[in-house]
Amino acid sequence: MATVSLKNLVKKYGSLEVVHAINLDVADREFVALVGPSGCGKSTTLRMIAGLEAISGGHIHIGDREVNNLPPRQRNISMVFQSYALYPHMTVAENMGFSLKIAGKSQDEIASAVADAAKTLGLEELLERRPSQLSGGQRQRVAMGRAIVRHPDVFLFDEPLSNLDAKLRMQMRTEIKKLHAKVQSTVIYVTHDQVEAMTLADRIVIMRDGHIEQVGPPEEVFRRPATRFVAGFIGSPTMNLHNALVSDGRLVFSNGDTLPLPGQFRDRVTAGQKVIFGLRPDDLYPTGHGIHSGEAAEVHAVEVPVSLTEPLGNETLVFAEFAGQDWISRMLNPKTLRAGDRINLSFDLSQSHLFDAKTEQSLRG
Amino acid sequence: MRGWKPAPHVLLLLPAFVVLAAVVVVPLLLSLYSSFTPFRLTRPETIYTFIGFRNYLRLFADQEFWVAFGRTVLLLTIALNLEMVLGLFLALLVEKATRGQRLLRTIMMFPMMFSPILVGFQFKFMFNDNIGLVNNALQSLGLTDRAIPWLIDSHLAFTSILIAEIWSSTSVFAIFILAGLMAMPKEPLEAAKVDGCTPLQSFRYVTWPFIMPFAYIAMTIRSLDIARAYDIVKIMTDGGPAKRTEILWTLISRTAYSDARMGLANAMAYVAIFLSILFTILFFRQLAKARQQIGAEW
Ligand SMILES: Nc1ncnc2c1ncn2[C@@H]1O[C@H](COP(=O)(O)OP(=O)(O)OP(=O)(O)O)[C@@H](O)[C@H]1O
Ligand SMILES: [Mg+2]
């Protein structure tokens, strides 16, 4: 049993409150990713769970124990730090076996546990090296090895891949996924890379300024963002989000351009309401160069000028001007476009999002 | 000298070499040479009599010299160990202070700012058997009813000197160790906490290996200091009474100036320097090992 539950968890530094009474329940063996912009309180939350940071209010339970006042060593957790935090004076093997040594395990037990972990992580050749003789990726794997030898109740990761280059990061992402399938522990994983969160997590927790904005499976936070912030944070390139006014069954943008009000929202808005219209670049494409969502056809085409293109090889991001602003659209099977060219842009309105301009909450049911 | 044109870099370095030779090499060679003569200050012409290793042979049979030598090593060993422990303690305390740390660091340096002569006088006064603070305090507290002869009894006098030494120089250790503590990355300590360490285990397995090189630097410096110790002892007991606290350099200066046997004194000095070199090598070895262990990049 290794559930983790946070109840009204608060963290204050002096009079500055950085985590505001958050609630979260993590199921046994669940992989939960904490994402959010820099400074939103992800690390602080993780460190409170680890016991490295005193909590200023609320409760933390691991399993059925309240751990509020327990030191880290009594919480049966492992943590992988962003900077790896390896012991510089110990060899790789000693680093990985250290927690077992402290726990008073026998030499043989330690050796076999370390050998197991080394095999899982492909570190067999490096066991006698010191951290200063390892590459970044190797250090990262040692840090993971140190975490897994103990079979803890809960793994805590604080941006473990952020110091690696893109290719290695992708490789390690796969490794972590395999590892989780194998060791089957509860994982709380902090990252500000949303791709990591989407690919690894069972559920994603999106934080902002010390609050939790939304909790849900990757698919859900992507397809049904609860707030404007989540909509803008999840997904790459970011969702097109523009202010509009509801009027007469249409959305009127600041310069007077209009779009039809998407059918799904027709009963949820009132005339004169200020809203934010959102559409992902995937659902906005030069006509004939996108994939239709297949849902109740509600494609609206407008002729607009191109202002900029970013060719990516298999696709091109086209920035086109509509309603006085640039909108990002995704062109599959790209053809060459130049700034100033006029194109026909398809808006797949069945995939659009609408948020109240004041509360920034989704207007979806 | 026509045709001799030294390269510019030689020319530029020449003044430095000349100065170095004049102030370091020549006096050194001169004193080394005089240790092979029966040179007495009262009879200057004796410096021209070469007697080979006779001074050194004499020394090796001289019990007084070896007692002073042994006492110096003893003083060094005890002082270094106690200073190490106290300095470590002090550094850990100061590092914990969240407020006023700068002030504490400055206060910690105070003893180092006093001249050893002054320290000697201070402690001579404090340990004075009649008017000294220590006896006064002990007697007023009723811990003893007679005057303790601090600077007269040989063990007590040695202890008094030890205390003066330690008081004046514990901060050397404290400062180096504090520097180590402040330079230490904090994450391994947190990792140790998560890995199950008690605070004591964290110190033993993580903090201590990291500050060890810093402690060795302090040890090197202090071992040289004590191997050359002179002022405090000179003031407090002058090696007495009856040579009960004689250490190497009080003996050397007495031999050189009171007895005016400069040649013999220089021979002693060279043996003493040998002791210093030995300790330096020893601690530098340890330092190199400790540094390599923590993968230090300095
Ligand atoms: N020791 C501290 N004293 C005061 N404020 C702090 C302290 N540590 C963190 N904070 C503040 O708490 C907030 C949350 O910090 P935290 O490190 O949890 O952010 P984060 O979400 O992990 O960001 P990042 O993605 O950059 O790592 C920040 O605004 C930070 O300035
Ligand atoms: Mg962080």
Side-chain angles (χ1 to χ4, degrees):
Chain A
M1 253 291 274
T3 58
V4 176
S5 111
L6 315 180
K7 288 202 188 72
N8 294 321
L9 189 62
V10 175
K11 177 68 193 178
K12 288 182 190 165
Y13 288 109
S15 60
L16 178 72
E17 189 169 303
V18 297
V19 174
H20 315 286
I22 57 171
N23 289 287
L24 180 66
D25 282 298
V26 181
D28 188 26
R29 300 181 186 181
E30 192 178 20
F31 195 125
V32 166
L34 250 56
V35 299
S38 193
C40 70
K42 308 181 293 289
S43 297
T44 307
T45 304
L46 199 71
R47 291 166 55 81
M48 285 192 284
I49 298 171
L52 293 171
E53 205 78 66
I55 68 177
S56 321
H59 305 269
I60 302 177
H61 288 262
I62 296 178
D64 34 28
R65 281 193 308 163
E66 180 172 292
V67 297
N68 286 11
N69 297 312
L70 294 184
R73 73 192 132 91
Q74 290 171 16
R75 298 190 182 195
N76 199 19
I77 42 150
S78 280
M79 183 155 171
V80 177
F81 295 80
Q82 180 171 1
S83 56
Y84 314 141
L86 300 178
Y87 308 118
H89 55 290
M90 298 183 198
T91 62
V92 168
E94 286 166 342
N95 259 288
M96 296 208 290
F98 184 65
S99 60
L100 300 178
K101 178 173 156 187
I102 293 298
K105 294 278 191 311
S106 74
Q107 291 287 328
D108 293 345
E109 262 178 290
I110 298 177
S112 84
V114 168
D116 271 356
K119 198 160 151 232
T120 311
L121 293 161
L123 289 169
E124 289 115 317
E125 311 291 311
L126 307 173
L127 285 177
E128 292 315 311
R129 299 234 198 130
R130 283 185 202 286
S132 56
Q133 301 163 318
L134 299 177
S135 73
Q138 290 167 337
R139 285 180 208 193
Q140 204 280 333
R141 273 182 287 161
V142 176
M144 301 260 288
R146 192 169 63 177
I148 63 172
V149 287
R150 274 195 319 146
H151 302 293
D153 287 342
V154 183
F155 280 108
L156 304 174
F157 292 87
D158 192 355
E159 307 198 27
L161 306 185
S162 61
N163 287 339
L164 305 181
D165 65 51
K167 194 166 163 204
L168 202 53
R169 196 183 303 187
M170 215 161 90
Q171 201 180 323
M172 288 309 299
R173 208 163 66 204
T174 323
E175 294 296 324
I176 291 177
K177 190 149 195 171
K178 279 192 211 152
L179 202 66
H180 180 241
K182 193 167 161 198
V183 301
Q184 296 264 320
S185 286
T186 309
V187 177
I188 302 179
Y189 187 104
V190 166
T191 175
H192 57 222
D193 179 346
Q194 43 142 329
V195 182
E196 256 169 50
M198 297 289 282
T199 50
L200 288 173
D202 298 322
R203 277 194 305 157
I204 297 182
V205 177
I206 296 117
M207 290 186 70
R208 175 197 193 184
D209 294 339
H211 292 285
I212 290 180
E213 286 269 317
Q214 188 176 0
V215 182
E219 166 90 0
E220 186 182 307
V221 294
F222 183 81
R223 295 183 60 92
R224 306 173 68 87
T227 65
R228 188 210 119 98
F229 175 79
V230 175
F233 190 79
I234 300 287
S236 171
T238 53
M239 187 188 285
N240 296 294
L241 287 160
H242 296 290
N243 289 315
L245 195 71
V246 179
S247 167
D248 222 5
R250 295 190 78 79
L251 292 168
V252 184
F253 294 91
S254 52
N255 75 337
D257 283 351
T258 66
L259 283 176
L261 185 60
Q264 49 175 327
F265 296 112
R266 212 153 282 156
D267 303 332
R268 304 194 167 275
V269 294
T270 52
Q273 189 175 358
K274 285 187 178 142
V275 295
I276 301 160
F277 174 78
L279 191 63
R280 291 202 187 276
D282 314 61
D283 305 314
L284 180 64
Y285 44 85
T287 307
H289 289 272
I291 297 172
H292 183 246
S293 63
E295 287 173 36
E298 221 186 328
V299 179
H300 180 80
V302 183
E303 197 192 87
V304 295
V306 172
S307 54
L308 184 75
T309 60
E310 283 184 358
L312 299 173
N314 57 340
E315 61 185 40
T316 295
L317 299 182
V318 180
F319 293 69
E321 199 187 314
F322 174 69
Q325 280 139 331
D326 270 344
W327 295 59
I328 310 177
S329 68
R330 184 171 248 154
M331 175 163 64
L332 302 179
N333 302 319
K335 63 174 190 194
T336 313
L337 288 178
R338 249 174 261 106
D341 289 354
R342 291 190 75 83
I343 55 168
N344 221 354
L345 206 57
S346 293
F347 291 72
D348 187 346
L349 296 178
S350 66
Q351 299 302 307
S352 66
H353 304 266
L354 219 53
F355 305 94
D356 185 86
K358 206 149 41 255
T359 64
E360 303 204 339
Q361 298 292 317
S362 175
L363 291 169
R364 193 193 300 273
Chain B
M1 289 289 263
R2 259 185 337 125
W4 187 73
K5 250 187 151 183
H9 62 273
V10 175
L11 207 60
L12 285 168
L13 284 173
L14 208 58
F17 277 116
V18 171
V19 172
L20 253 176
V23 302
V24 178
V25 181
V26 171
L28 245 146
L29 287 178
L30 198 66
S31 69
L32 183 63
Y33 163 75
S34 81
S35 74
F36 294 106
T37 69
F39 180 38
R40 280 169 174 273
L41 286 175
T42 44
R43 291 193 301 159
E45 75 282 2
T46 49
I47 196 163
Y48 300 112
T49 324
F50 188 77
I51 56 166
F53 282 97
R54 211 177 303 158
N55 278 334
Y56 288 92
L57 290 177
R58 168 104 133 272
L59 264 189
F60 283 108
D62 182 357
Q63 199 196 337
E64 195 174 280
F65 174 76
W66 287 113
V67 169
F69 188 96
R71 194 173 283 125
T72 308
V73 174
L74 186 69
L75 182 71
L76 195 152
T77 314
I78 301 178
L80 238 55
N81 278 297
L82 288 180
E83 284 176 21
M84 167 79 213
V85 174
L86 292 174
L88 177 65
F89 207 69
L90 210 60
L92 287 173
L93 277 182
V94 171
E95 207 244 348
K96 282 272 173 295
T98 43
R99 259 189 231 184
Q101 207 193 73
R102 281 161 67 109
L103 186 70
L104 282 176
R105 285 205 299 259
T106 314
I107 293 175
M108 202 167 73
M109 306 261 304
F110 274 172
M112 289 171 72
M113 298 174 190
F114 291 119
S115 142
I117 304 274
L118 189 62
V119 174
F121 275 120
Q122 264 176 19
F123 278 87
K124 187 177 188 176
F125 166 68
M126 291 209 287
F127 283 116
N128 185 292
D129 43 356
N130 287 321
I131 55 161
L133 274 179
V134 178
N135 273 350
N136 253 321
L138 289 179
Q139 282 167 352
S140 340
L141 289 173
L143 293 176
T144 172
D145 48 5
R146 52 184 195 87
I148 298 171
W150 286 109
L151 296 174
I152 295 160
D153 177 271
S154 73
H155 290 308
L156 288 180
F158 185 78
T159 311
S160 307
I161 290 171
L162 197 61
I163 291 173
E165 257 317 321
I166 291 172
W167 180 85
S168 72
S169 300
T170 291
S171 41
V172 175
F173 276 90
I175 282 160
F176 274 95
I177 292 174
L178 186 61
L181 287 173
M182 299 202 315
M184 192 171 128
K186 295 291 167 275
E187 282 103 358
L189 271 181
E190 299 196 325
K193 279 191 202 166
V194 173
D195 270 348
C197 286
T198 60
L200 209 64
Q201 286 169 323
S202 297
F203 178 78
R204 157 85 179 71
Y205 292 109
V206 182
T207 311
W208 177 241
F210 196 87
I211 54 179
M212 219 151 54
F214 293 84
Y216 281 125
I217 296 175
M219 272 194 205
T220 314
I221 293 175
R222 283 295 295 150
S223 69
L224 292 180
D225 265 1
I226 301 182
R228 291 177 308 158
Y230 174 71
D231 340 38
I232 290 182
V233 181
K234 172 78 185 165
I235 301 296
M236 283 179 74
T237 62
D238 197 11
K243 306 198 171 169
R244 282 178 212 148
T245 55
E246 192 85 291
I247 57 169
L248 270 178
W249 289 93
T250 53
L251 176 67
I252 292 169
S253 83
R254 196 184 319 285
T255 311
Y257 299 103
S258 308
D259 306 352
R261 291 154 78 183
M262 197 51 106
L264 183 63
N266 272 330
M268 287 178 177
Y270 273 93
V271 177
I273 287 169
F274 183 70
L275 177 72
S276 299
I277 293 175
L278 205 72
F279 273 106
T280 308
I281 292 174
L282 181 77
F283 287 129
F284 266 53
R285 280 246 177 92
Q286 297 295 327
L287 172 66
K289 214 160 57 185
R291 270 183 52 193
Q292 199 226 341
Q293 249 198 359
I294 61 164
E297 271 144 25
W298 44 272

PDB file of all heavy atoms in Angstrom, chain A residues 249-268:
ATOM      1  N   GLY A 249     -25.103  34.731 -32.261  1.00  0.00           N
ATOM      2  CA  GLY A 249     -24.680  33.430 -32.780  1.00  0.00           C
ATOM      3  C   GLY A 249     -23.323  33.453 -33.449  1.00  0.00           C
ATOM      4  O   GLY A 249     -22.958  32.535 -34.169  1.00  0.00           O
ATOM      5  N   ARG A 250     -22.590  34.501 -33.222  1.00  0.00           N
ATOM      6  CA  ARG A 250     -21.238  34.556 -33.791  1.00  0.00           C
ATOM      7  C   ARG A 250     -20.242  35.009 -32.741  1.00  0.00           C
ATOM      8  O   ARG A 250     -20.611  35.580 -31.707  1.00  0.00           O
ATOM      9  CB  ARG A 250     -21.202  35.532 -34.978  1.00  0.00           C
ATOM     10  CG  ARG A 250     -22.059  35.090 -36.151  1.00  0.00           C
ATOM     11  CD  ARG A 250     -21.789  35.953 -37.383  1.00  0.00           C
ATOM     12  NE  ARG A 250     -20.555  35.604 -38.081  1.00  0.00           N
ATOM     13  CZ  ARG A 250     -20.444  34.572 -38.913  1.00  0.00           C
ATOM     14  NH1 ARG A 250     -21.457  33.768 -39.129  1.00  0.00           N
ATOM     15  NH2 ARG A 250     -19.320  34.346 -39.543  1.00  0.00           N
ATOM     16  N   LEU A 251     -18.944  34.710 -32.998  1.00  0.00           N
ATOM     17  CA  LEU A 251     -17.887  35.228 -32.139  1.00  0.00           C
ATOM     18  C   LEU A 251     -17.282  36.425 -32.851  1.00  0.00           C
ATOM     19  O   LEU A 251     -16.815  36.304 -33.979  1.00  0.00           O
ATOM     20  CB  LEU A 251     -16.806  34.167 -31.922  1.00  0.00           C
ATOM     21  CG  LEU A 251     -17.220  32.949 -31.096  1.00  0.00           C
ATOM     22  CD1 LEU A 251     -16.168  31.847 -31.215  1.00  0.00           C
ATOM     23  CD2 LEU A 251     -17.409  33.342 -29.636  1.00  0.00           C
ATOM     24  N   VAL A 252     -17.304  37.571 -32.186  1.00  0.00           N
ATOM     25  CA  VAL A 252     -16.783  38.777 -32.821  1.00  0.00           C
ATOM     26  C   VAL A 252     -15.437  39.128 -32.192  1.00  0.00           C
ATOM     27  O   VAL A 252     -15.338  39.290 -30.980  1.00  0.00           O
ATOM     28  CB  VAL A 252     -17.758  39.962 -32.641  1.00  0.00           C
ATOM     29  CG1 VAL A 252     -17.236  41.188 -33.390  1.00  0.00           C
ATOM     30  CG2 VAL A 252     -19.147  39.573 -33.114  1.00  0.00           C
ATOM     31  N   PHE A 253     -14.397  39.204 -33.034  1.00  0.00           N
ATOM     32  CA  PHE A 253     -13.067  39.535 -32.518  1.00  0.00           C
ATOM     33  C   PHE A 253     -12.884  41.036 -32.491  1.00  0.00           C
ATOM     34  O   PHE A 253     -13.685  41.787 -33.056  1.00  0.00           O
ATOM     35  CB  PHE A 253     -11.987  38.840 -33.353  1.00  0.00           C
ATOM     36  CG  PHE A 253     -12.055  37.339 -33.203  1.00  0.00           C
ATOM     37  CD1 PHE A 253     -12.824  36.574 -34.079  1.00  0.00           C
ATOM     38  CD2 PHE A 253     -11.390  36.709 -32.165  1.00  0.00           C
ATOM     39  CE1 PHE A 253     -12.911  35.204 -33.924  1.00  0.00           C
ATOM     40  CE2 PHE A 253     -11.476  35.339 -32.005  1.00  0.00           C
ATOM     41  CZ  PHE A 253     -12.238  34.576 -32.891  1.00  0.00           C
ATOM     42  N   SER A 254     -11.802  41.483 -31.868  1.00  0.00           N
ATOM     43  CA  SER A 254     -11.651  42.917 -31.577  1.00  0.00           C
ATOM     44  C   SER A 254     -11.685  43.789 -32.830  1.00  0.00           C
ATOM     45  O   SER A 254     -12.160  44.905 -32.791  1.00  0.00           O
ATOM     46  CB  SER A 254     -10.361  43.149 -30.792  1.00  0.00           C
ATOM     47  OG  SER A 254      -9.287  42.539 -31.475  1.00  0.00           O
ATOM     48  N   ASN A 255     -11.205  43.249 -33.961  1.00  0.00           N
ATOM     49  CA  ASN A 255     -11.189  44.095 -35.161  1.00  0.00           C
ATOM     50  C   ASN A 255     -12.457  43.944 -36.006  1.00  0.00           C
ATOM     51  O   ASN A 255     -12.538  44.459 -37.114  1.00  0.00           O
ATOM     52  CB  ASN A 255      -9.959  43.783 -36.013  1.00  0.00           C
ATOM     53  CG  ASN A 255     -10.100  42.474 -36.757  1.00  0.00           C
ATOM     54  OD1 ASN A 255     -10.881  41.616 -36.341  1.00  0.00           O
ATOM     55  ND2 ASN A 255      -9.379  42.333 -37.859  1.00  0.00           N
ATOM     56  N   GLY A 256     -13.430  43.182 -35.472  1.00  0.00           N
ATOM     57  CA  GLY A 256     -14.688  43.046 -36.200  1.00  0.00           C
ATOM     58  C   GLY A 256     -14.826  41.767 -36.984  1.00  0.00           C
ATOM     59  O   GLY A 256     -15.917  41.394 -37.404  1.00  0.00           O
ATOM     60  N   ASP A 257     -13.706  41.043 -37.228  1.00  0.00           N
ATOM     61  CA  ASP A 257     -13.798  39.744 -37.902  1.00  0.00           C
ATOM     62  C   ASP A 257     -14.638  38.793 -37.055  1.00  0.00           C
ATOM     63  O   ASP A 257     -14.644  38.898 -35.829  1.00  0.00           O
ATOM     64  CB  ASP A 257     -12.399  39.141 -38.097  1.00  0.00           C
ATOM     65  CG  ASP A 257     -11.669  39.820 -39.246  1.00  0.00           C
ATOM     66  OD1 ASP A 257     -12.321  40.608 -39.954  1.00  0.00           O
ATOM     67  OD2 ASP A 257     -10.450  39.577 -39.409  1.00  0.00           O
ATOM     68  N   THR A 258     -15.317  37.870 -37.697  1.00  0.00           N
ATOM     69  CA  THR A 258     -16.162  36.953 -36.936  1.00  0.00           C
ATOM     70  C   THR A 258     -15.964  35.506 -37.340  1.00  0.00           C
ATOM     71  O   THR A 258     -15.468  35.201 -38.432  1.00  0.00           O
ATOM     72  CB  THR A 258     -17.661  37.280 -37.123  1.00  0.00           C
ATOM     73  OG1 THR A 258     -17.999  37.018 -38.482  1.00  0.00           O
ATOM     74  CG2 THR A 258     -17.980  38.705 -36.740  1.00  0.00           C
ATOM     75  N   LEU A 259     -16.349  34.614 -36.431  1.00  0.00           N
ATOM     76  CA  LEU A 259     -16.430  33.180 -36.701  1.00  0.00           C
ATOM     77  C   LEU A 259     -17.794  32.737 -36.200  1.00  0.00           C
ATOM     78  O   LEU A 259     -18.324  33.324 -35.261  1.00  0.00           O
ATOM     79  CB  LEU A 259     -15.350  32.418 -35.928  1.00  0.00           C
ATOM     80  CG  LEU A 259     -13.909  32.454 -36.434  1.00  0.00           C
ATOM     81  CD1 LEU A 259     -13.005  31.714 -35.452  1.00  0.00           C
ATOM     82  CD2 LEU A 259     -13.795  31.826 -37.824  1.00  0.00           C
ATOM     83  N   PRO A 260     -18.336  31.668 -36.777  1.00  0.00           N
ATOM     84  CA  PRO A 260     -19.598  31.162 -36.244  1.00  0.00           C
ATOM     85  C   PRO A 260     -19.378  30.620 -34.832  1.00  0.00           C
ATOM     86  O   PRO A 260     -18.309  30.100 -34.531  1.00  0.00           O
ATOM     87  CB  PRO A 260     -19.974  30.018 -37.187  1.00  0.00           C
ATOM     88  CG  PRO A 260     -18.985  30.034 -38.296  1.00  0.00           C
ATOM     89  CD  PRO A 260     -17.854  30.916 -37.934  1.00  0.00           C
ATOM     90  N   LEU A 261     -20.369  30.757 -33.976  1.00  0.00           N
ATOM     91  CA  LEU A 261     -20.270  30.204 -32.629  1.00  0.00           C
ATOM     92  C   LEU A 261     -20.340  28.684 -32.718  1.00  0.00           C
ATOM     93  O   LEU A 261     -21.301  28.141 -33.270  1.00  0.00           O
ATOM     94  CB  LEU A 261     -21.425  30.737 -31.778  1.00  0.00           C
ATOM     95  CG  LEU A 261     -21.435  30.361 -30.304  1.00  0.00           C
ATOM     96  CD1 LEU A 261     -20.185  30.852 -29.600  1.00  0.00           C
ATOM     97  CD2 LEU A 261     -22.673  30.931 -29.635  1.00  0.00           C
ATOM     98  N   PRO A 262     -19.309  27.954 -32.224  1.00  0.00           N
ATOM     99  CA  PRO A 262     -19.324  26.492 -32.344  1.00  0.00           C
ATOM    100  C   PRO A 262     -20.578  25.907 -31.709  1.00  0.00           C
ATOM    101  O   PRO A 262     -21.010  26.350 -30.641  1.00  0.00           O
ATOM    102  CB  PRO A 262     -18.084  26.070 -31.561  1.00  0.00           C
ATOM    103  CG  PRO A 262     -17.189  27.258 -31.580  1.00  0.00           C
ATOM    104  CD  PRO A 262     -18.097  28.442 -31.563  1.00  0.00           C
ATOM    105  N   GLY A 263     -21.171  24.915 -32.364  1.00  0.00           N
ATOM    106  CA  GLY A 263     -22.446  24.348 -31.949  1.00  0.00           C
ATOM    107  C   GLY A 263     -22.493  23.910 -30.495  1.00  0.00           C
ATOM    108  O   GLY A 263     -23.465  24.154 -29.786  1.00  0.00           O
ATOM    109  N   GLN A 264     -21.411  23.263 -30.041  1.00  0.00           N
ATOM    110  CA  GLN A 264     -21.426  22.719 -28.688  1.00  0.00           C
ATOM    111  C   GLN A 264     -21.565  23.795 -27.611  1.00  0.00           C
ATOM    112  O   GLN A 264     -21.900  23.483 -26.467  1.00  0.00           O
ATOM    113  CB  GLN A 264     -20.157  21.919 -28.448  1.00  0.00           C
ATOM    114  CG  GLN A 264     -18.923  22.696 -28.866  1.00  0.00           C
ATOM    115  CD  GLN A 264     -17.636  21.975 -28.522  1.00  0.00           C
ATOM    116  OE1 GLN A 264     -17.570  21.292 -27.532  1.00  0.00           O
ATOM    117  NE2 GLN A 264     -16.629  22.133 -29.365  1.00  0.00           N
ATOM    118  N   PHE A 265     -21.251  25.034 -27.940  1.00  0.00           N
ATOM    119  CA  PHE A 265     -21.315  26.079 -26.921  1.00  0.00           C
ATOM    120  C   PHE A 265     -22.564  26.952 -27.046  1.00  0.00           C
ATOM    121  O   PHE A 265     -22.776  27.855 -26.254  1.00  0.00           O
ATOM    122  CB  PHE A 265     -20.074  26.984 -27.016  1.00  0.00           C
ATOM    123  CG  PHE A 265     -18.792  26.256 -26.715  1.00  0.00           C
ATOM    124  CD1 PHE A 265     -17.858  26.025 -27.711  1.00  0.00           C
ATOM    125  CD2 PHE A 265     -18.543  25.777 -25.430  1.00  0.00           C
ATOM    126  CE1 PHE A 265     -16.684  25.348 -27.437  1.00  0.00           C
ATOM    127  CE2 PHE A 265     -17.373  25.101 -25.156  1.00  0.00           C
ATOM    128  CZ  PHE A 265     -16.437  24.880 -26.152  1.00  0.00           C
ATOM    129  N   ARG A 266     -23.372  26.658 -28.074  1.00  0.00           N
ATOM    130  CA  ARG A 266     -24.468  27.558 -28.381  1.00  0.00           C
ATOM    131  C   ARG A 266     -25.378  27.823 -27.169  1.00  0.00           C
ATOM    132  O   ARG A 266     -25.775  28.931 -26.925  1.00  0.00           O
ATOM    133  CB  ARG A 266     -25.285  27.002 -29.551  1.00  0.00           C
ATOM    134  CG  ARG A 266     -25.879  28.087 -30.410  1.00  0.00           C
ATOM    135  CD  ARG A 266     -26.099  27.628 -31.837  1.00  0.00           C
ATOM    136  NE  ARG A 266     -24.872  27.610 -32.628  1.00  0.00           N
ATOM    137  CZ  ARG A 266     -24.692  26.835 -33.712  1.00  0.00           C
ATOM    138  NH1 ARG A 266     -25.633  26.003 -34.099  1.00  0.00           N
ATOM    139  NH2 ARG A 266     -23.578  26.901 -34.390  1.00  0.00           N
ATOM    140  N   ASP A 267     -25.606  26.746 -26.369  1.00  0.00           N
ATOM    141  CA  ASP A 267     -26.506  26.910 -25.228  1.00  0.00           C
ATOM    142  C   ASP A 267     -25.785  27.350 -23.966  1.00  0.00           C
ATOM    143  O   ASP A 267     -26.382  27.506 -22.917  1.00  0.00           O
ATOM    144  CB  ASP A 267     -27.213  25.579 -24.930  1.00  0.00           C
ATOM    145  CG  ASP A 267     -27.956  25.096 -26.141  1.00  0.00           C
ATOM    146  OD1 ASP A 267     -28.363  25.956 -26.950  1.00  0.00           O
ATOM    147  OD2 ASP A 267     -28.086  23.864 -26.305  1.00  0.00           O
ATOM    148  N   ARG A 268     -24.495  27.526 -24.060  1.00  0.00           N
ATOM    149  CA  ARG A 268     -23.725  27.770 -22.834  1.00  0.00           C
ATOM    150  C   ARG A 268     -23.259  29.211 -22.707  1.00  0.00           C
ATOM    151  O   ARG A 268     -22.582  29.552 -21.743  1.00  0.00           O
ATOM    152  CB  ARG A 268     -22.512  26.846 -22.799  1.00  0.00           C
ATOM    153  CG  ARG A 268     -22.910  25.396 -22.929  1.00  0.00           C
ATOM    154  CD  ARG A 268     -21.799  24.464 -22.579  1.00  0.00           C
ATOM    155  NE  ARG A 268     -22.330  23.125 -22.419  1.00  0.00           N
ATOM    156  CZ  ARG A 268     -22.844  22.698 -21.291  1.00  0.00           C
ATOM    157  NH1 ARG A 268     -22.875  23.483 -20.242  1.00  0.00           N
ATOM    158  NH2 ARG A 268     -23.345  21.485 -21.214  1.00  0.00           N
TER     159      ARG A 268
END
